[in-house]
Amino acid sequence: MIDYPRFDRDGWRRWVPSWKLVSGVCIGFFGTMVAAAGIAYAMVGVPEPGKAAMAQNNVYYWADGSQMVATGGEVNRQSVDLAQIPMEMRNAVISQENKTFYSDSGIDPKGIARAVFNMAKGGETQGGSTITQQYVKNAMLNDQSQTISRKVKEIFVSIKVGAEEPKDKILEGYLNSAYYGRGAYGIQAASRAYFNVDAVDLNPGQCAFLSAVLKGATYYDPAGSPSIDPVNATAEANTDRARRQMQDTLDKMVEYGHLSQEKRAQYPELPKVQNPQSNTQLGGQIGYLVRLAKSSVIKNAGVTEQQLEKGGYSIYTTFDKKKVQELETAVENVYKKNIDPKKRPEEDTHVQFGGASVNPETGAIEAIYGGEDATKHFTNNADVTGAQVGSTFKPYVLAAAMKWGVRDPELGETQAQDERTVVSPKSLYSGKNNLKINNYDGSIWENEKGEQWRQENDGKESIGEPPSYKIDLREAMRQSVNSAFVQLGMDVGLDKVKEAAVDAGLLESSLAGSGYPSFSIGVSDPSAIRMAGSYATFAASGKQREPFSVTKVTKKGPIYTHKVTSKQAFTAKVADNVTDVLKTVVEDGTGTNAQLPGREVAGKTGTTDGNKSAWFVGYTPQLATAISMFRYPDDETLKDRKFLEMYGTGGEEKIHGASFPSVIWQDYMSDALKGEPKEKFPKPEPIGEVINDTPPPSPSPSPSETEEEETSPSPSPSPSKTETTPSPSPSDTCGVFEWNCEDGDNNGNENSGNENGGSEGSPSPSTSPSGTGEEEDVRGNQNGGGGFIAGQEG
C-alpha cells in the first residue's frame, strides 16, 4: 500500500516519494489534526466561573516558627450585572484590550502563535490576547501556569466559550473576575478599593484608569509598589505610567467612536485615588511585616501577586516577635513622653518614626517599625520614606577614603584615578567653618552657574586650632564636622563615595546629588532597612549581605528557600577601622545617648536640611539598627505635601539625631540584646597614610605641638575665637594642602547664599544644591550675592 522506496525506480529516484504519497501523507496529517482538534473541542467543557477563584489564607510565621497571622487569601469580589457596569467601562476595556471583541471568534491566532513561539524558545511568556481568553484564564482555569499544554487548553476552552456564550455575558464575566490590584477581583470591588464608589457611578476618567490597572497593579497603582520594584514601581513612576495609559485609552475611545471629544477633554489628569486599606487583622506592626514579606515573596519566589492573593502559601519570616514588640514600645515611649500635638499643634503634628534591625551575620531583618498602625498609616516608614539621612552618610566617605584613597593633586585626572593614597583616620583636614571647597587638584569647585561652594559647620563655628583648623578624621567624625568630610569626599571623588555606599548595601536608586559636594553629608534618602543593612556590613568586617525578610515559602511542598550569600564589600581592615572611628562617636561624641553599659557600640547621628529629619544608625557585633524621625503630613488629600521643620518639636529647640532617635535606639537595643553575650568588635589593623600632616608655613608650631596635633583630637574652639589671617581677593585659590590659605570672609560675593539653597537637599543641574548637615549643622547665610554656602539650608 505504501510504495516507498519505489520498486519501479532505480538509484536515487527510488528515494524520491511520488506525488500520491506526498498528498496522502499531507491529507492524513491534516485529517488527524482536525480529528484531534474535534475530539479536544468535544472533550473540553465550559468551566463554571468562580470555582477557580476559591481562595485559602496565607499563613505567615515568626522567626521562631510560631504563627504570626493567617491572611491574604480573602477574595474581595462582588459580581454585578452588565447593566450596572457603565458603558464607558465596557468601551474602555474593549478599546484598549480587544477592539474586535464583538466580531472575533474569541481567540487571536497571531497572538497565540507569538506566545507559543516565545514559550517554545524559552523566552518571556505571554497571556491571551483577547478578552475571551483573559476571561477563560482568570475566571475558569485553576492552572495559571504559562506552559504550552495549558495554552492549548485555554485555546480550546476560549473557542468553545466564544461559540456558545453571548458576547455580553463574556464581557460581564471578564469585568467581574479580572484582578485590579489591592486584593480586588471584579469591577465592583475595584471601584470601592480605588474610589469608594459603586461601579455604576464610575465616570469615564475612572473607567479609563481602571482599564489601565488591569495591565498590572504593581506598575499602575498610583500608591506604588516600591517594595517589589524600588526602581520602576515607585508612587511617582506608577502615577505617571497610569496617567499615560489612561489618556491613551481615552484617546482610543474617541478614535473608535465610543466617547465624544468634548467629554474626553474633561479628564486630563488621573482621578483622585484613595489610600489602600488594610483589614483589621493587619493592624499595628503586623500589616507592615506582612506587606514586607509579601513583597519579598513576589520578588524572589516566582509567585505572582494574583497567585498570592488566592492563598494557600506558608510564609516563614525573619521577624523576631520580641524585638518587634520592643522596638514598637521604644517608639511609643517617646511619643507618650514627648510628643503632644494638643499642647504644641504647630510643632508636634505629623511626627513620624521609622526603624529597622538587621542581623550582620545573615542580613535577616529581625524587626521593623513602619508607623503608628498599618491600617491608618499606609506607608511603611522602615522601607520607604524619602527622609534624607544627613551625616549618617559620612561613614561611606571614610570607607571610600580607606578603600581607594585620595587622588594626587599633582597628577592629571586619568593618572590620578589610578595613583591614589589610602587615608589613615589620623589624616588631617580643615574643620574651618565656611570652608571654600576645592576639587582634588586644588582648583575651586564651581557649579554650572559658576557659583562656588562653601561649607558651614554647627553654629558657624570652626573646629580645630587656628589658623589652619586642622583636625584628624576621627575627631571630625566625633564632632560631625561637615567641612572636613565634604572636602575629603572631593579628594576621594564623589563617584567613589557613591560606589562605597552601594557596596555597603544602599540602593543606587536612593542616592541623590552625587554631582555636588553636599553628597558626602547625606542628601540621599535610603530606607531604614537599607541604612541598618549597610552599617551591618561594617559590623561584619566588610561582608555585605542583602537584607531579607523571608526564609522559605511552601505550598504543598517547598517553593522557595533563601540562601545567605555575602560579598566582601570592604576589606576587614577598612571596615574595622570605620567601626573603630564610629565607636568614638558613641563613647565621647554626638552619639553618647546610645551607649549600652558593658557593650561596644558604633554609630552615627544625622540631622538634615532645615531640621526636617533626624537619624541614629548604630550597631553592636550582633545587631545593626537604624531609627529615623521626621514630620510629614499623612493626609493624602493635601497637595504638594512636603517634610516639615522640627524646630520646637517635642519641646526641643531643635531635633537632633542625638536626641529622640538615639534615645529610641538605646531603649530598644537594651532590651533586644538582653541576655546576649557582650561581644567586642575586632581590633583594627593600622591602615593608610596620614594625609595633610605638613606643618603650615606660618606661624610654625614647635615639633612637640605638631606631633600632638597629629595624634590627639583638637578641642572645640570657644565662641570667642576668630580668624586672624587676612582674606584674599575673590580670585585667590587655596590648594588642598595649603592650611594657611584663607578662603575669604562672610561679606564677599563668593560665600553668599540664600536661606533655602536647594530643594530639600536634592540638588539637580538646574538648581543650586542644598547641603545636608547634622545635629551640629546650621542654616546657611541668608543674604548675599552670586555664590552660595552649603549648610543645613544653604
Side-chain angles (χ1 to χ4, degrees), residues 306-318:
Q306 188 171 352
Q307 288 171 333
L308 196 60
E309 286 292 340
K310 291 189 175 180
Y313 295 90
S314 294
I315 299 163
Y316 296 83
T317 77
T318 60

Side-chain angles (χ1 to χ4, degrees), residues 21-82:
L21 181 61
V22 171
S23 299
V25 169
C26 289
I27 291 171
F29 174 77
F30 287 111
T32 302
M33 293 295 293
V34 170
I39 294 171
Y41 181 86
M43 289 181 66
V44 299
V46 176
E48 185 179 339
K51 280 191 175 180
M54 296 298 291
Q56 309 170 55
N57 279 330
N58 295 315
V59 182
Y60 293 81
Y61 296 91
W62 293 104
D64 63 5
S66 61
Q67 182 172 315
M68 179 196 304
V69 67
T71 186
E74 304 88 354
V75 174
N76 179 15
R77 182 200 301 274
Q78 182 182 348
S79 295
V80 292
D81 294 334
L82 188 64

Side-chain angles (χ1 to χ4, degrees), residues 8 96 153 167 195 276 303 307 341 361 402 438 540 618 774:
D8 58 345
Q96 188 60 253
K153 182 178 181 182
K167 288 289 186 177
F195 307 115
V303 179
Q307 288 171 333
E361 288 299 312
M402 291 178 177
N438 295 335
E774 164 56 304

Side-chain angles (χ1 to χ4, degrees), residues 344 347-348 611 645-655:
R344 290 178 294 270
E347 294 83 14
D348 284 13
N611 201 209
E645 293 181 344
M646 293 192 290
Y647 298 108
T649 297
E652 300 287 324
E653 181 179 346
K654 178 182 178 182
I655 297 299

Side-chain angles (χ1 to χ4, degrees), residues 278-296:
S278 298
N279 65 43
T280 54
Q281 250 190 314
L282 302 178
Q285 298 306 303
I286 298 297
Y288 302 118
L289 298 171
V290 167
R291 202 177 304 152
L292 191 63
K294 177 181 174 181
S295 298
S296 177

